[in-house]
PDB file of all heavy atoms in Angstrom:
ATOM      1  N   ALA I  70       3.298   9.849   5.038  1.00 94.00           N
ATOM      2  CA  ALA I  70       2.537   9.136   6.021  1.00 94.00           C
ATOM      3  C   ALA I  70       2.741   9.597   7.436  1.00 94.00           C
ATOM      4  O   ALA I  70       1.820   9.678   8.246  1.00 94.00           O
ATOM      5  CB  ALA I  70       2.847   7.577   5.908  1.00 94.00           C
ATOM      6  N   LEU I  71       3.995   9.864   7.775  1.00 91.00           N
ATOM      7  CA  LEU I  71       4.284  10.083   9.197  1.00 91.00           C
ATOM      8  C   LEU I  71       3.738  11.451   9.482  1.00 91.00           C
ATOM      9  O   LEU I  71       3.260  11.692  10.705  1.00 91.00           O
ATOM     10  CB  LEU I  71       5.856  10.083   9.522  1.00 91.00           C
ATOM     11  CG  LEU I  71       6.529   8.843   9.436  1.00 91.00           C
ATOM     12  CD1 LEU I  71       7.868   8.879  10.002  1.00 91.00           C
ATOM     13  CD2 LEU I  71       5.741   7.734  10.195  1.00 91.00           C
ATOM     14  N   LYS I  72       3.755  12.437   8.568  1.00 91.00           N
ATOM     15  CA  LYS I  72       3.242  13.795   8.849  1.00 91.00           C
ATOM     16  C   LYS I  72       1.833  13.762   9.058  1.00 91.00           C
ATOM     17  O   LYS I  72       1.195  14.609   9.708  1.00 91.00           O
ATOM     18  CB  LYS I  72       3.515  14.692   7.657  1.00 91.00           C
ATOM     19  CG  LYS I  72       4.622  15.533   7.746  1.00 91.00           C
ATOM     20  CD  LYS I  72       4.703  16.591   6.619  1.00 91.00           C
ATOM     21  CE  LYS I  72       5.286  15.938   5.419  1.00 91.00           C
ATOM     22  NZ  LYS I  72       5.386  16.747   4.152  1.00 91.00           N
ATOM     23  N   SER I  73       1.148  12.788   8.381  1.00 89.00           N
ATOM     24  CA  SER I  73      -0.314  12.871   8.374  1.00 89.00           C
ATOM     25  C   SER I  73      -0.924  12.028   9.530  1.00 89.00           C
ATOM     26  O   SER I  73      -2.183  12.088   9.818  1.00 89.00           O
ATOM     27  CB  SER I  73      -0.870  12.008   7.013  1.00 89.00           C
ATOM     28  OG  SER I  73      -0.195  12.610   6.041  1.00 89.00           O
ATOM     29  N   LEU I  74      -0.257  11.227  10.204  1.00 82.00           N
ATOM     30  CA  LEU I  74      -0.781  10.382  11.308  1.00 82.00           C
ATOM     31  C   LEU I  74      -1.176  11.307  12.560  1.00 82.00           C
ATOM     32  O   LEU I  74      -0.249  12.045  13.153  1.00 82.00           O
ATOM     33  CB  LEU I  74       0.183   9.368  11.761  1.00 82.00           C
ATOM     34  CG  LEU I  74       0.543   8.342  10.812  1.00 82.00           C
ATOM     35  CD1 LEU I  74       1.633   7.303  11.430  1.00 82.00           C
ATOM     36  CD2 LEU I  74      -0.651   7.302  10.622  1.00 82.00           C
ATOM     37  N   THR I  75      -2.367  11.176  12.791  1.00 76.00           N
ATOM     38  CA  THR I  75      -2.838  11.905  14.056  1.00 76.00           C
ATOM     39  C   THR I  75      -3.715  10.883  14.845  1.00 76.00           C
ATOM     40  O   THR I  75      -3.678   9.840  14.482  1.00 76.00           O
ATOM     41  CB  THR I  75      -3.833  13.146  13.726  1.00 76.00           C
ATOM     42  OG1 THR I  75      -5.023  12.671  13.179  1.00 76.00           O
ATOM     43  CG2 THR I  75      -3.143  14.071  12.802  1.00 76.00           C
ATOM     44  N   LYS I  76      -4.206  11.411  16.067  1.00 71.00           N
ATOM     45  CA  LYS I  76      -4.926  10.430  16.923  1.00 71.00           C
ATOM     46  C   LYS I  76      -6.120   9.678  16.253  1.00 71.00           C
ATOM     47  O   LYS I  76      -6.376   8.666  16.463  1.00 71.00           O
ATOM     48  CB  LYS I  76      -5.341  11.019  18.104  1.00 71.00           C
ATOM     49  CG  LYS I  76      -4.077  11.236  19.148  1.00 71.00           C
ATOM     50  CD  LYS I  76      -4.459  10.330  20.297  1.00 71.00           C
ATOM     51  CE  LYS I  76      -3.125  10.385  21.346  1.00 71.00           C
ATOM     52  NZ  LYS I  76      -2.065   9.488  20.844  1.00 71.00           N
ATOM     53  N   GLU I  77      -7.007  10.607  15.420  1.00 77.00           N
ATOM     54  CA  GLU I  77      -8.184   9.977  15.059  1.00 77.00           C
ATOM     55  C   GLU I  77      -8.413   9.672  13.565  1.00 77.00           C
ATOM     56  O   GLU I  77      -9.255   9.030  13.291  1.00 77.00           O
ATOM     57  CB  GLU I  77      -9.254  11.063  15.386  1.00 77.00           C
ATOM     58  CG  GLU I  77      -9.400  11.306  16.973  1.00 77.00           C
ATOM     59  CD  GLU I  77      -9.829  10.059  17.675  1.00 77.00           C
ATOM     60  OE1 GLU I  77     -10.573   9.309  16.978  1.00 77.00           O
ATOM     61  OE2 GLU I  77      -9.440   9.972  18.831  1.00 77.00           O
ATOM     62  N   ASN I  78      -7.466  10.245  12.801  1.00 89.00           N
ATOM     63  CA  ASN I  78      -7.720   9.979  11.270  1.00 89.00           C
ATOM     64  C   ASN I  78      -7.230   8.592  10.871  1.00 89.00           C
ATOM     65  O   ASN I  78      -6.652   7.762  11.687  1.00 89.00           O
ATOM     66  CB  ASN I  78      -7.098  11.047  10.398  1.00 89.00           C
ATOM     67  CG  ASN I  78      -5.605  11.037  10.671  1.00 89.00           C
ATOM     68  OD1 ASN I  78      -5.060  10.250  11.063  1.00 89.00           O
ATOM     69  ND2 ASN I  78      -4.985  12.174  10.211  1.00 89.00           N
ATOM     70  N   VAL I  79      -7.524   8.302   9.504  1.00 95.00           N
ATOM     71  CA  VAL I  79      -7.106   7.060   8.977  1.00 95.00           C
ATOM     72  C   VAL I  79      -6.142   7.486   7.861  1.00 95.00           C
ATOM     73  O   VAL I  79      -6.664   8.303   7.013  1.00 95.00           O
ATOM     74  CB  VAL I  79      -8.171   6.166   8.480  1.00 95.00           C
ATOM     75  CG1 VAL I  79      -7.704   4.941   7.794  1.00 95.00           C
ATOM     76  CG2 VAL I  79      -9.209   5.904   9.601  1.00 95.00           C
ATOM     77  N   VAL I  80      -4.984   6.839   7.747  1.00 96.00           N
ATOM     78  CA  VAL I  80      -4.107   7.227   6.640  1.00 96.00           C
ATOM     79  C   VAL I  80      -3.992   5.976   5.773  1.00 96.00           C
ATOM     80  O   VAL I  80      -3.700   4.879   6.245  1.00 96.00           O
ATOM     81  CB  VAL I  80      -2.642   7.593   7.148  1.00 96.00           C
ATOM     82  CG1 VAL I  80      -1.743   7.909   6.119  1.00 96.00           C
ATOM     83  CG2 VAL I  80      -2.781   8.869   8.007  1.00 96.00           C
ATOM     84  N   ILE I  81      -4.180   6.148   4.510  1.00 97.00           N
ATOM     85  CA  ILE I  81      -4.058   5.008   3.524  1.00 97.00           C
ATOM     86  C   ILE I  81      -2.946   5.306   2.678  1.00 97.00           C
ATOM     87  O   ILE I  81      -2.876   6.362   1.948  1.00 97.00           O
ATOM     88  CB  ILE I  81      -5.379   4.890   2.703  1.00 97.00           C
ATOM     89  CG1 ILE I  81      -6.602   4.705   3.525  1.00 97.00           C
ATOM     90  CG2 ILE I  81      -5.175   3.696   1.779  1.00 97.00           C
ATOM     91  CD1 ILE I  81      -7.963   4.694   2.732  1.00 97.00           C
ATOM     92  N   LEU I  82      -1.915   4.319   2.653  1.00 98.00           N
ATOM     93  CA  LEU I  82      -0.685   4.599   1.738  1.00 98.00           C
ATOM     94  C   LEU I  82      -1.013   3.723   0.565  1.00 98.00           C
ATOM     95  O   LEU I  82      -0.847   2.473   0.477  1.00 98.00           O
ATOM     96  CB  LEU I  82       0.399   4.138   2.459  1.00 98.00           C
ATOM     97  CG  LEU I  82       1.790   4.712   2.027  1.00 98.00           C
ATOM     98  CD1 LEU I  82       1.842   6.233   2.090  1.00 98.00           C
ATOM     99  CD2 LEU I  82       2.904   4.181   2.904  1.00 98.00           C
ATOM    100  N   ASP I  83      -1.409   4.479  -0.654  1.00 98.00           N
ATOM    101  CA  ASP I  83      -1.761   3.727  -1.894  1.00 98.00           C
ATOM    102  C   ASP I  83      -0.548   3.695  -2.891  1.00 98.00           C
ATOM    103  O   ASP I  83      -0.333   4.594  -3.587  1.00 98.00           O
ATOM    104  CB  ASP I  83      -2.912   4.504  -2.492  1.00 98.00           C
ATOM    105  CG  ASP I  83      -3.230   3.862  -3.801  1.00 98.00           C
ATOM    106  OD1 ASP I  83      -2.862   2.806  -4.174  1.00 98.00           O
ATOM    107  OD2 ASP I  83      -3.844   4.566  -4.734  1.00 98.00           O
ATOM    108  N   SER I  84       0.161   2.718  -2.564  1.00 97.00           N
ATOM    109  CA  SER I  84       1.341   2.546  -3.517  1.00 97.00           C
ATOM    110  C   SER I  84       1.600   0.932  -3.450  1.00 97.00           C
ATOM    111  O   SER I  84       0.851   0.266  -2.791  1.00 97.00           O
ATOM    112  CB  SER I  84       2.570   3.183  -2.935  1.00 97.00           C
ATOM    113  OG  SER I  84       3.562   3.201  -3.834  1.00 97.00           O
ATOM    114  N   GLY I  85       2.573   0.483  -4.195  1.00 93.00           N
ATOM    115  CA  GLY I  85       2.803  -0.982  -4.309  1.00 93.00           C
ATOM    116  C   GLY I  85       3.215  -1.584  -2.962  1.00 93.00           C
ATOM    117  O   GLY I  85       2.911  -2.519  -2.525  1.00 93.00           O
ATOM    118  N   ASN I  86       4.041  -0.708  -2.221  1.00 97.00           N
ATOM    119  CA  ASN I  86       4.686  -1.215  -0.964  1.00 97.00           C
ATOM    120  C   ASN I  86       5.187  -2.606  -0.906  1.00 97.00           C
ATOM    121  O   ASN I  86       4.891  -3.372  -0.145  1.00 97.00           O
ATOM    122  CB  ASN I  86       3.589  -0.962   0.102  1.00 97.00           C
ATOM    123  CG  ASN I  86       3.175   0.418   0.217  1.00 97.00           C
ATOM    124  OD1 ASN I  86       3.929   1.359   0.113  1.00 97.00           O
ATOM    125  ND2 ASN I  86       1.881   0.784   0.355  1.00 97.00           N
ATOM    126  N   PHE I  87       5.774  -2.935  -2.097  1.00 96.00           N
ATOM    127  CA  PHE I  87       6.138  -4.277  -2.447  1.00 96.00           C
ATOM    128  C   PHE I  87       7.442  -4.709  -1.865  1.00 96.00           C
ATOM    129  O   PHE I  87       7.915  -5.865  -2.024  1.00 96.00           O
ATOM    130  CB  PHE I  87       6.035  -4.637  -3.929  1.00 96.00           C
ATOM    131  CG  PHE I  87       6.974  -3.689  -4.719  1.00 96.00           C
ATOM    132  CD1 PHE I  87       8.211  -4.135  -5.008  1.00 96.00           C
ATOM    133  CD2 PHE I  87       6.409  -2.487  -5.094  1.00 96.00           C
ATOM    134  CE1 PHE I  87       9.064  -3.284  -5.786  1.00 96.00           C
ATOM    135  CE2 PHE I  87       7.321  -1.667  -5.950  1.00 96.00           C
ATOM    136  CZ  PHE I  87       8.614  -2.022  -6.234  1.00 96.00           C
ATOM    137  N   ILE I  88       8.214  -3.730  -1.227  1.00 97.00           N
ATOM    138  CA  ILE I  88       9.526  -3.954  -0.780  1.00 97.00           C
ATOM    139  C   ILE I  88       9.469  -4.420   0.787  1.00 97.00           C
ATOM    140  O   ILE I  88       9.108  -3.498   1.562  1.00 97.00           O
ATOM    141  CB  ILE I  88      10.604  -2.866  -1.088  1.00 97.00           C
ATOM    142  CG1 ILE I  88      10.798  -2.851  -2.635  1.00 97.00           C
ATOM    143  CG2 ILE I  88      11.860  -2.995  -0.383  1.00 97.00           C
ATOM    144  CD1 ILE I  88      11.619  -1.885  -3.090  1.00 97.00           C
ATOM    145  N   LYS I  89      10.114  -5.440   1.170  1.00 97.00           N
ATOM    146  CA  LYS I  89      10.006  -5.878   2.494  1.00 97.00           C
ATOM    147  C   LYS I  89      10.557  -4.968   3.492  1.00 97.00           C
ATOM    148  O   LYS I  89       9.959  -4.557   4.510  1.00 97.00           O
ATOM    149  CB  LYS I  89      10.595  -7.310   2.575  1.00 97.00           C
ATOM    150  CG  LYS I  89      10.332  -8.064   3.899  1.00 97.00           C
ATOM    151  CD  LYS I  89      10.661  -9.632   3.603  1.00 97.00           C
ATOM    152  CE  LYS I  89      12.025  -9.796   3.129  1.00 97.00           C
ATOM    153  NZ  LYS I  89      12.506 -11.295   3.172  1.00 97.00           N
ATOM    154  N   GLY I  90      11.685  -4.329   3.111  1.00 97.00           N
ATOM    155  CA  GLY I  90      12.448  -3.443   3.932  1.00 97.00           C
ATOM    156  C   GLY I  90      11.614  -2.178   4.188  1.00 97.00           C
ATOM    157  O   GLY I  90      11.703  -1.583   5.238  1.00 97.00           O
TER     158      GLY I  90
END
Side-chain angles (χ1 to χ4, degrees):
L71 292 194
K72 258 191 284 177
S73 307
L74 291 169
T75 69
K76 280 249 173 284
E77 295 301 327
N78 64 15
V79 175
V80 178
I81 306 175
L82 203 55
D83 174 24
S84 187
N86 301 317
F87 57 91
I88 292 178
K89 195 161 53 169

